[in-house]
Amino acid sequence: QLQLQESGPGLVKPSETLSLTCTVSGGSISSRSYYWDWIRQPPGKGLEWIGSIYYSGSTSYNPSLKSRVIISVDTSKNQFSLKLSSVTAADTAVYYCARHQGGIEAFDIWGQGTMVTVSS
Amino acid sequence: DIVMTQSPDSLAVSLGERATINCKSSQSVLYSSNNKNYLAWYQQKPGQPPKLLIYWASTRESGVPDRFSGSGSGTDFTLTISSLQAEDVAVYYCQQFYSTPLFTFGPGTKVDIK
């Protein structure tokens, strides 16, 4: 069964770059039917889609974050990654990686999430 | 951008009773080419990631109990829990996949036991 696992620092200083990796296990990130996404959730708040990547490297980003976000994929490691630059306290959130199944247009598998706090 | 709204913000329902959650999109999420509504519902329990319940507005994900059902088309959608169980206490979110590159979620509806 396919699983996703986020990893990365839990604390990032303001103005620095947040970097997270999602490792896909139990299946291939190169499957043509799927996109791989990042979603975040500030404490006690709702869900915000950050962006998406296809195994080929094609990306799409939330326009409100586009200037600060880079999502990349490493098919050899079955991983995809998120970089969010110039972070502020407003970027403090649980960050989830998720599989977006293109056939049904839904996030059908999610990682457990990782809490990232932006603080000096 | 498509804005998603949900009502109510929260509701409390007795065990075994029906719970109804409404979701409205600021524009239609119905793709005329395939007549499918690009609208999904998720359940999120405390400390857990969201779980997909419904896609295409009314298709239950595999393994989801049949007490969960989705309905609606265009801009107005409903998630119904026909007989609330204790394990259904959660926050429920709708999400549209019609508008790229921005897949927006509703603000969530919290369901509790009365």
Coordinates of all heavy atoms in Angstrom, one line a residue, chain A residues 41 45-47 49 60-63 96 100 103-108 110-112, chain B residues 38 40 42 44 47-50 52 55-56 61 93 95 97 101-103 105 107:
Chain A
Q41 N -1.6 23.5 6.8 CA -2.7 23.8 7.7 C -2.2 24.5 8.9 O -1.6 23.9 9.8 CB -3.4 22.5 8.1 CG -4.7 22.8 9.0 CD -5.5 21.5 9.2 OE1 -4.9 20.4 9.3 NE2 -6.8 21.6 9.2
K45 N -6.6 26.1 12.0 CA -7.2 26.7 10.9 C -7.4 25.6 9.8 O -7.3 24.4 10.0 CB -6.3 27.8 10.4 CG -6.2 29.0 11.4 CD -5.5 30.2 10.8 CE -5.4 31.3 11.8 NZ -4.7 32.5 11.2
G46 N -7.8 26.1 8.6 CA -8.2 25.3 7.5 C -7.0 24.9 6.6 O -5.9 25.2 6.9
L47 N -7.3 24.3 5.5 CA -6.3 23.7 4.6 C -6.0 24.7 3.4 O -6.9 25.3 2.9 CB -6.8 22.4 4.0 CG -7.1 21.3 5.1 CD1 -8.1 20.2 4.6 CD2 -5.8 20.7 5.5
W49 N -3.9 24.7 -0.2 CA -3.1 24.0 -1.3 C -1.9 24.9 -1.6 O -2.0 26.1 -1.9 CB -3.9 23.8 -2.5 CG -3.2 23.1 -3.6 CD1 -2.8 21.8 -3.7 CD2 -2.8 23.7 -4.8 NE1 -2.2 21.6 -4.9 CE2 -2.2 22.7 -5.6 CE3 -2.9 25.0 -5.3 CZ2 -1.6 23.0 -6.9 CZ3 -2.4 25.3 -6.6 CH2 -1.8 24.3 -7.3
S60 N 2.7 23.3 -10.8 CA 1.7 24.4 -10.7 C 1.7 24.8 -9.2 O 1.8 24.0 -8.3 CB 0.3 24.0 -11.2 OG -0.1 22.8 -10.6
Y61 N 1.5 26.1 -9.0 CA 1.6 26.6 -7.7 C 0.4 27.5 -7.4 O -0.2 28.2 -8.2 CB 2.9 27.5 -7.5 CG 4.2 26.7 -7.8 CD1 5.2 27.2 -8.6 CD2 4.5 25.5 -7.1 CE1 6.4 26.6 -8.8 CE2 5.7 24.9 -7.3 CZ 6.6 25.4 -8.2 OH 7.8 24.7 -8.4
N62 N 0.1 27.6 -6.1 CA -0.8 28.6 -5.6 C -0.3 30.0 -5.9 O 0.8 30.3 -5.5 CB -1.0 28.4 -4.1 CG -2.1 29.3 -3.5 OD1 -2.3 30.4 -3.9 ND2 -2.7 28.8 -2.5
P63 N -1.1 30.8 -6.7 CA -0.6 32.1 -7.0 C -0.2 33.0 -5.9 O 0.7 33.8 -6.0 CB -1.8 32.7 -7.8 CG -2.6 31.6 -8.3 CD -2.4 30.5 -7.3
Y96 N 1.5 19.0 4.8 CA 1.2 17.6 4.3 C 1.6 17.4 2.9 O 1.5 18.4 2.1 CB -0.3 17.4 4.4 CG -1.0 17.4 5.7 CD1 -1.7 18.5 6.1 CD2 -1.0 16.3 6.5 CE1 -2.3 18.5 7.4 CE2 -1.6 16.3 7.8 CZ -2.3 17.4 8.2 OH -2.9 17.4 9.4
H100 N -2.4 13.3 -5.6 CA -3.5 13.8 -6.3 C -3.8 12.9 -7.5 O -3.0 12.8 -8.4 CB -3.2 15.2 -6.8 CG -4.2 15.8 -7.8 ND1 -4.0 17.0 -8.4 CD2 -5.4 15.4 -8.2 CE1 -5.0 17.3 -9.2 NE2 -5.9 16.3 -9.1
G103 N -7.3 10.9 -12.3 CA -8.5 10.3 -12.8 C -9.7 10.7 -12.1 O -10.8 10.8 -12.7
I104 N -9.6 10.8 -10.8 CA -10.8 11.1 -10.0 C -10.8 12.6 -9.4 O -11.7 13.0 -8.9 CB -11.0 10.2 -8.8 CG1 -9.9 10.3 -7.8 CG2 -11.1 8.7 -9.3 CD1 -10.1 9.5 -6.5
E105 N -9.7 13.2 -9.6 CA -9.5 14.6 -9.2 C -9.8 14.7 -7.7 O -10.8 15.3 -7.2 CB -10.4 15.6 -10.0 CG -10.0 15.6 -11.4 CD -8.6 16.1 -11.7 OE1 -8.0 16.7 -10.8 OE2 -8.0 15.7 -12.7
A106 N -8.9 14.1 -6.9 CA -9.0 14.2 -5.4 C -7.7 13.8 -4.8 O -6.9 13.2 -5.5 CB -10.1 13.3 -4.9
F107 N -7.5 14.3 -3.6 CA -6.3 13.9 -2.9 C -6.6 12.6 -2.1 O -7.3 12.6 -1.1 CB -5.8 15.0 -1.9 CG -5.4 16.3 -2.5 CD1 -5.9 17.5 -2.1 CD2 -4.5 16.3 -3.6 CE1 -5.5 18.7 -2.7 CE2 -4.1 17.4 -4.2 CZ -4.6 18.6 -3.7
D108 N -6.2 11.5 -2.7 CA -6.6 10.2 -2.1 C -5.7 9.6 -1.1 O -6.1 8.7 -0.3 CB -6.9 9.2 -3.2 CG -5.7 8.8 -4.0 OD1 -4.7 9.6 -4.0 OD2 -5.7 7.8 -4.7
W110 N -2.6 10.8 1.9 CA -2.0 11.8 2.5 C -0.8 11.3 3.4 O -1.0 10.2 4.0 CB -2.9 12.6 3.4 CG -4.1 13.3 2.7 CD1 -5.1 12.7 2.0 CD2 -4.3 14.7 2.7 NE1 -5.9 13.7 1.5 CE2 -5.5 14.9 1.9 CE3 -3.6 15.8 3.2 CZ2 -6.0 16.2 1.7 CZ3 -4.2 17.1 3.0 CH2 -5.3 17.3 2.2
G111 N 0.2 12.1 3.6 CA 1.2 11.8 4.6 C 0.6 12.2 6.0 O -0.5 12.8 6.1
Q112 N 1.3 11.9 7.1 CA 0.8 12.2 8.4 C 1.0 13.7 8.7 O 0.3 14.2 9.7 CB 1.6 11.3 9.4 CG 1.1 9.9 9.5 CD -0.4 9.8 9.9 OE1 -0.9 10.4 10.9 NE2 -1.2 9.2 9.0
Chain B
Y38 N -16.2 18.6 -10.1 CA -14.9 18.4 -9.6 C -14.9 18.9 -8.1 O -14.3 19.9 -7.8 CB -13.9 19.0 -10.4 CG -13.5 18.2 -11.7 CD1 -14.4 17.3 -12.2 CD2 -12.3 18.4 -12.3 CE1 -14.1 16.5 -13.3 CE2 -12.0 17.7 -13.4 CZ -12.9 16.7 -13.9 OH -12.6 16.0 -15.0
A40 N -14.7 17.4 -4.0 CA -14.4 16.3 -3.1 C -14.7 16.7 -1.7 O -14.7 17.9 -1.3 CB -12.9 16.0 -3.2
Y42 N -13.7 15.7 2.4 CA -12.7 15.1 3.3 C -13.2 15.2 4.8 O -13.9 16.1 5.2 CB -11.3 15.8 3.2 CG -10.8 15.8 1.8 CD1 -11.1 16.8 0.9 CD2 -9.9 14.8 1.4 CE1 -10.6 16.9 -0.4 CE2 -9.4 14.8 0.1 CZ -9.7 15.9 -0.8 OH -9.2 15.9 -2.0
Q44 N -11.5 15.1 8.7 CA -10.3 15.2 9.4 C -10.5 15.1 10.9 O -11.2 16.0 11.5 CB -9.5 16.6 9.1 CG -8.2 16.6 9.8 CD -7.4 17.9 9.5 OE1 -8.0 19.0 9.3 NE2 -6.1 17.8 9.4
G47 N -5.5 15.6 15.1 CA -4.2 15.0 15.0 C -3.9 14.1 13.8 O -2.9 13.5 13.8
Q48 N -4.9 14.1 12.9 CA -4.8 13.2 11.7 C -4.8 14.0 10.5 O -5.4 15.1 10.4 CB -5.9 12.2 11.7 CG -5.8 11.2 12.9 CD -6.9 10.1 12.8 OE1 -7.4 9.9 11.7 NE2 -7.2 9.4 13.9
P49 N -4.3 13.5 9.4 CA -4.5 14.2 8.1 C -5.9 14.0 7.6 O -6.6 13.1 8.1 CB -3.5 13.4 7.2 CG -3.4 12.0 7.8 CD -3.5 12.2 9.2
P50 N -6.3 14.8 6.7 CA -7.6 14.6 6.1 C -7.7 13.2 5.4 O -6.7 12.7 4.9 CB -7.7 15.7 5.1 CG -6.8 16.8 5.6 CD -5.7 16.0 6.2
L52 N -10.0 11.2 2.4 CA -10.9 11.4 1.3 C -12.2 10.5 1.5 O -12.1 9.3 1.8 CB -10.3 11.0 0.0 CG -11.2 11.0 -1.3 CD1 -11.6 12.4 -1.6 CD2 -10.4 10.4 -2.5
Y55 N -15.6 11.8 -4.0 CA -15.1 12.6 -5.1 C -16.1 12.7 -6.2 O -17.2 11.9 -6.1 CB -13.8 12.0 -5.6 CG -13.9 10.5 -6.1 CD1 -14.2 10.2 -7.4 CD2 -13.6 9.5 -5.2 CE1 -14.3 8.9 -7.8 CE2 -13.7 8.2 -5.6 CZ -14.0 7.9 -6.9 OH -14.1 6.6 -7.3
W56 N -15.9 13.5 -7.2 CA -17.0 13.8 -8.2 C -18.3 14.1 -7.5 O -19.4 13.8 -8.1 CB -17.1 12.6 -9.1 CG -15.9 12.4 -10.1 CD1 -15.0 13.3 -10.4 CD2 -15.6 11.2 -10.7 NE1 -14.1 12.8 -11.3 CE2 -14.4 11.5 -11.5 CE3 -16.1 9.9 -10.8 CZ2 -13.8 10.5 -12.3 CZ3 -15.5 9.0 -11.6 CH2 -14.4 9.2 -12.3
E61 N -15.4 7.1 -1.9 CA -14.1 6.4 -1.9 C -14.2 5.0 -1.4 O -15.0 4.7 -0.5 CB -13.1 7.2 -1.2 CG -11.7 6.6 -1.0 CD -10.9 6.6 -2.3 OE1 -11.4 6.5 -3.4 OE2 -9.6 6.6 -2.1
Y93 N -14.3 19.0 5.3 CA -14.0 20.0 4.3 C -14.4 19.6 2.9 O -14.3 18.4 2.5 CB -12.5 20.1 4.2 CG -11.8 20.7 5.4 CD1 -11.3 19.8 6.4 CD2 -11.7 22.0 5.7 CE1 -10.6 20.3 7.5 CE2 -11.0 22.5 6.8 CZ -10.5 21.7 7.7 OH -9.9 22.1 8.9
Q95 N -13.7 20.6 -1.2 CA -12.6 21.1 -2.0 C -13.0 21.0 -3.5 O -13.6 20.0 -4.0 CB -11.4 20.3 -1.8 CG -10.2 20.9 -2.5 CD -9.1 19.9 -2.8 OE1 -9.2 18.7 -2.5 NE2 -7.9 20.4 -3.2
F97 N -11.7 21.0 -7.5 CA -10.6 20.7 -8.4 C -10.8 21.3 -9.8 O -10.1 20.9 -10.7 CB -10.4 19.2 -8.5 CG -9.5 18.6 -7.4 CD1 -10.1 18.2 -6.2 CD2 -8.2 18.6 -7.5 CE1 -9.4 17.7 -5.2 CE2 -7.4 18.0 -6.4 CZ -8.0 17.6 -5.3
P101 N -4.6 27.0 -11.5 CA -3.8 26.2 -10.6 C -4.1 26.6 -9.1 O -3.2 26.9 -8.3 CB -2.4 26.7 -10.9 CG -2.6 28.2 -11.2 CD -3.9 28.3 -11.9
L102 N -5.3 26.6 -8.8 CA -5.7 26.8 -7.4 C -6.8 25.9 -6.9 O -8.0 26.2 -7.2 CB -6.0 28.3 -7.2 CG -6.3 28.7 -5.7 CD1 -5.1 28.4 -4.8 CD2 -6.6 30.2 -5.7
F103 N -6.5 24.9 -6.2 CA -7.5 24.0 -5.7 C -7.9 24.4 -4.3 O -7.1 24.2 -3.3 CB -6.9 22.5 -5.6 CG -6.4 22.0 -6.9 CD1 -5.1 21.5 -7.0 CD2 -7.2 22.1 -8.1 CE1 -4.7 21.0 -8.2 CE2 -6.7 21.7 -9.3 CZ -5.4 21.1 -9.4
F105 N -10.1 24.9 -0.8 CA -10.9 24.2 0.2 C -11.9 25.1 0.8 O -11.7 26.3 0.9 CB -10.0 23.6 1.4 CG -9.0 22.6 1.0 CD1 -7.8 22.9 0.5 CD2 -9.3 21.2 1.1 CE1 -6.9 21.9 0.1 CE2 -8.5 20.2 0.8 CZ -7.2 20.5 0.3
P107 N -13.9 26.2 4.4 CA -13.3 26.5 5.7 C -13.5 25.4 6.7 O -12.9 25.5 7.8 CB -14.1 27.8 6.1 CG -15.4 27.7 5.4 CD -15.1 27.1 4.1

